[in-house]
Amino acid sequence: MSADSPMDNYEKLFEVAKQNEEARREKPRILLGTASCGVAAGALQVKEFFLKEIESHGLDAEVVEVGCIGHCYAEPLAIIAKPGFPAITYGNLDEGLVHLLVEDFLAGEDPCYEYALAAVDRNDVFPTFEDFPRGIYENKLILEQCGYIDPESIDSYIEKDGYRALAKALSDEPARTLDEVKASNLRGRGGAGFPTGRKWETSLKAGGDEKYVICNADEGDPGAFMDRSILESDPHQVIEGMVLCAYAIGATEGYLYIRAEYPRAVKRVREALEQAREKGVLGSSILGTEFNFDLQVFQGAGAFVCGEETALLSSIEGRRGVPRYRPPFPAVEGLWGKPTVINNVKTFSYVPHIINRGADWFKSIGTPESPGTAVFSLVGKVVNTGLVEVPMGTTLRELIFEVGGGLPDGKEFKAVQIGGPSGGCLPESALDVPIDFDSLHEAGAIMGSGGLVVMDEDDCMVSVAHYFLEFTQQESCGKCTFCRLGTKHMLDILTDITRGHGDEERLTLLEELAEDVRDGSLCNLGRTAPNPVLTTLKYFRDEYKAHIEEGRCPARACRDLVLFYIEPSRCSKLCNVCVGSCPTEAIYTRDDGLKAIDQEKCVKCDNCRKACPPEYNAVIKLSPPVLPPEKEKKRT
Amino acid sequence: MNDYVNITIDDRKIKARAGEKLLWVALDNDIYIPHLCAVREKERSNASCRLCFVEIEGMARPVTSCTQVVREEMVVRTRSTRIDRLVKTAFELLLSDHNLSCRECPANGNCELQKIAKERGLKLRQKRFKAIERDHTVDDSPDEFAFDPSRCVLCGRCIWADREEAGVGAIGFANRGINSVITTFEGVSLAESICTQCKLCVEACPVGAFYYKKDKKA
Ligand SMILES: Cc1cc2nc3c(=O)[nH]c(=O)nc-3n(C[C@H](O)[C@H](O)[C@H](O)COP(=O)(O)O)c2cc1C
Ligand code: SF4
Ligand code: SF4
């Protein structure tokens, strides 16, 4: 085999893959989304429904577990590919719908278009996702195959030109690969946006013959799940990116550092590594050349701070996962003191595309300083939650209102939190900021790892700051003074404010301390922890003031600053649903037959407000927590 | 390569050994910079106490002098509004979590916290931050010394002494964040641990956390 060129060897793999996959396509196939998001929505049960129906109809069809196509709001979700019909996506699957689809479509000839979400490829009968309004904003590079290929079959990846970039790179000097990545201006997607080519070059020049490549898949931000999704949906894309990096810098060993809470990702990656070795695209003599590189999975114990690169290295070396002072940077002195490239899952995922299609193509997408796309997990008060990939430079407004479909229930937009606990909250006035590393930074947020939480009028900005700070405070490793103690005191002040115990002096202290923690902490966990506080103070200071000066929470979200009240003019004598909903029997009937709440007994659980029928909507929250005097009624 | 470099600290011209960290150069020249966690023999400083900040011309942000290697023509300021503010906050944060009863403390008069307060004109009884309540018990199981975690500033010098000087490895950091503590493996008392009672930790401790029982007041 080694007599052949890497490209010859690749073409052989490609042919086999094509044949195998074509053979699979001769049968009807159900591609079921079973990434963690799908599983959480019940996909594994839906799989059982399909298997049962297929068997009872005596059909020969395959159910393939695929990853996530990004339309998480419609999960459980499956693509049905039946020869002779366009492949169609169906969402919100349950037992009844599965029965119908198998009976009418698989056993019959009716694709049940009324239940279809979209077609996969362009056709004359049914629109595709690209025809959705969000289609014009989306540009899928690294999510392109996610949910469409079988993550457990390497052939499925190879058939889509997978590992072609590797063959191409191996046909040339390693320097060509490095040059291409450098020329592409690819910047790290792990948060800080450091130029990837420069990092690789540093490692290459650091010398020595032992080097490491590590993929950072510790993804610990609350609400972020895109790295997990990519690993579960298209693991080979990441692996190929890592092998290309190893070739460029001359590394022979590497790790994928995946958090232990991601068992499906760990399993799929392990299987993928096994298959890659069998095919000769990983391990020794890759594609018949003299290049050797092998990878293994390292399961992180789960601390958020272990995503910080120096803490991650400590953790692999078997020590406490605690950050250390940089420099030296890992690219120079990394794992076991050897030069080590650490990149994010998404960063590696772009590399095969850049090698295949060239740096110029990559730079034609996005903005000059931040080329390529941005991947976000869109969550919170937004209609279409899920994974999205848009070109850098798209505005936040487009992302939230066009791609995300705006806010549900006609609620008003208040803020968007970007970058997780290290990021910031931006207001309406910042919505036209183009998304790229530098403009977000200027606005006080960061790209971070790509969590994007949309918030509406019901979200209290002080509570939001509290929520994120509580997360970082608990995740602080405790090594350095500012982060260990500073975040604790900041959190205490915020807690006081949400309880109506704040004062102007402590607000000033909060702001000063936030700045000092930002400037004084050892690692970026502490340095960025104050961002949610600083941005909410900058853009929503009046909310803090309302809490402090009036004991009022404008969003009526802070428990201690609201009371529940039944508005007599809206309450109906003919109704008493609220009474039963109250866990503490705080609701009583007044002399006039209307309901009222005994404030002494009320535990502010919100049940009655939810229970009150929409035609009355009589239960309201008041903040500050003061009953309207003239309407106060004593219990009789 | 030259063995020495010329630097300026607070307008004083100083000849410093090449490769040396700024903190030690300053201290050797009687220029005091507050510090708790730095150990001279340790190649990589913990850089965790965040007290030894200085400003260096040409650098945008204050840097910790325990990690900064001296360079030819480096111009350093140990005091400035920014530095003083950071040092004050770090110091007050540490004291908000410190059992401040100096009169009873075995280290009274020989304490690095007191020294920092004196050198920088800072108050030990800071008012900005509420004292953090702790429930700590003293481990007095060794024959001649004891460990009082309520006075520990988590500088890690004792761990260094235990591992690198004594070569034992009896103690280390445990827990995370605000709950970080110095303990033995599995939290047993020092006497029950592999501690050899060499007392190097007591010598290393800059405050009154590891102390000789004979020095205990009242
Ligand atoms: C507290 C903390 C957590 C981090 N978590 C992650 C993570 O989960 N994934 C990641 O890729 N980078 C994370 N980073 C950033 C890494 O330190 C590092 O910069 C990144 O992996 C480099 O990859 P990139 O150049 O591809 O962005 C974290 C940083 C900090 C300070
Ligand atoms: S900033 Fe926080 S997480 Fe980072 S080293 Fe300091 S204590 Fe640890
Ligand atoms: S016991 Fe003393 S030497 Fe050890 S960490 Fe605490 S203060 Fe530092």
Side-chain angles (χ1 to χ4, degrees), chain A residues 589-619:
Chain A
T589 308
R590 313 194 313 185
D591 292 346
D592 54 9
L594 300 178
K595 302 289 177 286
I597 297 172
D598 181 344
Q599 297 299 332
E600 300 282 296
K601 287 190 185 166
C602 172
V603 289
K604 304 181 185 178
C605 68
D606 206 28
N607 282 2
C608 56
R609 200 176 62 94
K610 291 191 194 120
C612 184
E615 61 266 39
Y616 307 129
N617 247 342
V619 184

Coordinates of all heavy atoms in Angstrom, one line a residue, chain A residues 589-619:
Chain A
T589 N -61.9 33.2 50.1 CA -63.0 33.9 49.4 C -63.4 35.1 50.3 O -63.7 34.9 51.5 CB -64.2 33.0 49.2 OG1 -63.7 31.8 48.5 CG2 -65.3 33.6 48.3
R590 N -63.5 36.2 49.7 CA -63.9 37.4 50.5 C -65.4 37.4 50.7 O -66.1 36.7 50.1 CB -63.4 38.7 49.7 CG -62.0 38.6 49.2 CD -61.4 40.0 48.8 NE -62.4 40.7 48.0 CZ -62.0 41.9 47.4 NH1 -60.8 42.4 47.6 NH2 -62.9 42.5 46.7
D591 N -65.8 38.4 51.4 CA -67.3 38.5 51.7 C -68.0 38.7 50.4 O -69.1 38.2 50.2 CB -67.5 39.8 52.5 CG -67.0 39.6 53.9 OD1 -66.7 38.4 54.3 OD2 -66.8 40.6 54.7
D592 N -67.4 39.4 49.4 CA -68.1 39.7 48.2 C -68.0 38.5 47.2 O -68.4 38.7 46.0 CB -67.6 41.0 47.6 CG -66.1 41.0 47.4 OD1 -65.5 39.9 47.6 OD2 -65.6 42.1 47.0
G593 N -67.4 37.4 47.6 CA -67.3 36.3 46.7 C -66.1 36.2 45.9 O -65.8 35.2 45.2
L594 N -65.3 37.3 45.8 CA -64.1 37.3 45.1 C -63.0 36.7 45.9 O -63.1 36.5 47.1 CB -63.7 38.7 44.7 CG -64.7 39.5 43.8 CD1 -64.2 40.9 43.6 CD2 -65.0 38.7 42.5
K595 N -61.9 36.3 45.2 CA -60.8 35.6 45.9 C -59.7 36.7 46.4 O -59.6 37.7 45.8 CB -60.1 34.6 45.0 CG -61.0 33.5 44.5 CD -61.5 32.6 45.7 CE -62.5 31.6 45.2 NZ -63.8 32.1 44.9
A596 N -59.0 36.3 47.4 CA -57.9 37.2 47.9 C -56.8 36.3 48.5 O -57.0 35.1 48.8 CB -58.4 38.2 48.9
I597 N -55.6 36.9 48.6 CA -54.5 36.1 49.1 C -54.1 36.5 50.4 O -53.9 37.7 50.7 CB -53.3 36.2 48.1 CG1 -53.6 35.7 46.7 CG2 -52.0 35.5 48.6 CD1 -52.6 36.0 45.6
D598 N -53.9 35.6 51.3 CA -53.4 35.9 52.7 C -51.9 36.0 52.6 O -51.2 35.0 52.4 CB -53.8 34.7 53.6 CG -53.4 35.0 55.0 OD1 -52.5 35.9 55.2 OD2 -53.9 34.3 56.0
Q599 N -51.4 37.2 52.6 CA -49.9 37.4 52.4 C -49.1 36.7 53.4 O -47.9 36.3 53.1 CB -49.6 38.9 52.4 CG -50.3 39.7 51.3 CD -49.9 39.2 49.9 OE1 -48.8 38.7 49.7 NE2 -50.9 39.4 49.0
E600 N -49.6 36.5 54.6 CA -48.8 35.7 55.6 C -48.5 34.3 55.2 O -47.5 33.8 55.5 CB -49.6 35.7 56.9 CG -49.9 37.0 57.5 CD -48.7 37.6 58.2 OE1 -48.3 37.1 59.2 OE2 -48.3 38.7 57.7
K601 N -49.5 33.7 54.5 CA -49.3 32.3 54.1 C -48.7 32.1 52.7 O -48.2 31.1 52.4 CB -50.7 31.6 54.1 CG -51.3 31.4 55.4 CD -52.5 30.5 55.3 CE -53.3 30.3 56.6 NZ -54.6 29.7 56.3
C602 N -48.7 33.2 51.9 CA -48.3 33.0 50.5 C -46.8 32.7 50.5 O -46.0 33.4 51.2 CB -48.6 34.3 49.8 SG -47.8 34.4 48.1
V603 N -46.4 31.7 49.7 CA -44.9 31.4 49.5 C -44.4 31.8 48.2 O -43.3 31.5 47.8 CB -44.7 29.9 49.8 CG1 -44.9 29.5 51.2 CG2 -45.6 29.0 48.9
K604 N -45.2 32.6 47.5 CA -44.8 33.2 46.2 C -44.4 32.1 45.2 O -43.3 32.2 44.5 CB -43.7 34.2 46.4 CG -44.1 35.3 47.3 CD -43.0 36.3 47.5 CE -43.4 37.3 48.6 NZ -42.3 38.3 48.9
C605 N -45.2 31.0 45.1 CA -44.8 29.9 44.2 C -45.2 30.2 42.7 O -44.8 29.5 41.8 CB -45.4 28.6 44.7 SG -47.2 28.6 44.5
D606 N -46.1 31.2 42.5 CA -46.6 31.6 41.2 C -47.6 30.6 40.6 O -48.1 30.8 39.5 CB -45.4 31.6 40.2 CG -45.6 32.6 39.1 OD1 -46.4 33.5 39.2 OD2 -45.1 32.4 38.0
N607 N -48.0 29.6 41.4 CA -49.0 28.6 40.9 C -50.4 29.3 40.6 O -50.9 29.1 39.5 CB -49.3 27.5 42.0 CG -48.2 26.5 42.0 OD1 -47.2 26.6 41.3 ND2 -48.4 25.5 42.8
C608 N -50.8 30.2 41.4 CA -52.2 30.8 41.2 C -52.2 31.7 40.0 O -53.1 31.7 39.2 CB -52.6 31.6 42.5 SG -51.4 32.8 42.9
R609 N -51.1 32.3 39.8 CA -51.0 33.2 38.6 C -51.1 32.4 37.3 O -51.7 32.8 36.4 CB -49.7 34.1 38.7 CG -49.8 35.3 37.8 CD -48.5 36.1 38.0 NE -47.3 35.3 37.5 CZ -46.8 35.4 36.3 NH1 -47.4 36.2 35.4 NH2 -45.8 34.7 36.0
K610 N -50.4 31.2 37.4 CA -50.5 30.4 36.2 C -51.8 29.7 36.1 O -52.3 29.5 35.0 CB -49.4 29.3 36.3 CG -48.0 29.9 36.1 CD -47.0 28.7 36.0 CE -45.6 29.2 36.1 NZ -44.9 28.5 37.3
A611 N -52.5 29.4 37.2 CA -53.7 28.7 37.2 C -54.9 29.6 36.7 O -55.9 29.2 36.1 CB -54.0 28.1 38.6
C612 N -54.8 30.9 37.1 CA -55.9 31.8 36.8 C -56.2 31.8 35.2 O -55.3 32.1 34.5 CB -55.6 33.2 37.2 SG -56.9 34.4 37.0
P613 N -57.4 31.5 34.8 CA -57.7 31.4 33.4 C -57.4 32.7 32.6 O -57.6 33.8 33.2 CB -59.2 31.1 33.3 CG -59.5 30.6 34.7 CD -58.6 31.3 35.6
P614 N -56.9 32.6 31.4 CA -56.5 33.8 30.7 C -57.6 34.8 30.5 O -57.3 36.0 30.4 CB -56.0 33.2 29.3 CG -56.3 31.7 29.3 CD -56.6 31.3 30.7
E615 N -58.8 34.4 30.5 CA -59.9 35.4 30.3 C -60.0 36.3 31.5 O -60.5 37.4 31.4 CB -61.2 34.7 30.0 CG -61.8 33.8 31.0 CD -61.4 32.3 30.8 OE1 -60.3 32.1 30.3 OE2 -62.3 31.4 31.0
Y616 N -59.5 35.9 32.7 CA -59.5 36.8 33.8 C -58.1 37.4 34.1 O -58.0 38.6 34.3 CB -60.0 36.0 35.1 CG -61.3 35.3 34.9 CD1 -61.4 34.0 35.2 CD2 -62.4 36.0 34.4 CE1 -62.6 33.3 35.1 CE2 -63.6 35.3 34.2 CZ -63.7 34.0 34.5 OH -64.9 33.3 34.3
N617 N -57.1 36.5 34.1 CA -55.8 37.0 34.4 C -55.8 38.0 35.6 O -55.2 39.0 35.6 CB -55.2 37.8 33.1 CG -54.1 37.1 32.5 OD1 -53.5 36.2 33.2 ND2 -53.8 37.4 31.3
A618 N -56.4 37.5 36.6 CA -56.6 38.4 37.8 C -55.4 38.4 38.8 O -55.3 39.4 39.5 CB -57.9 37.9 38.5
V619 N -54.6 37.4 38.7 CA -53.5 37.4 39.7 C -52.3 38.1 39.1 O -51.9 37.9 38.0 CB -53.0 35.9 40.0 CG1 -52.0 35.9 41.1 CG2 -54.2 35.1 40.4

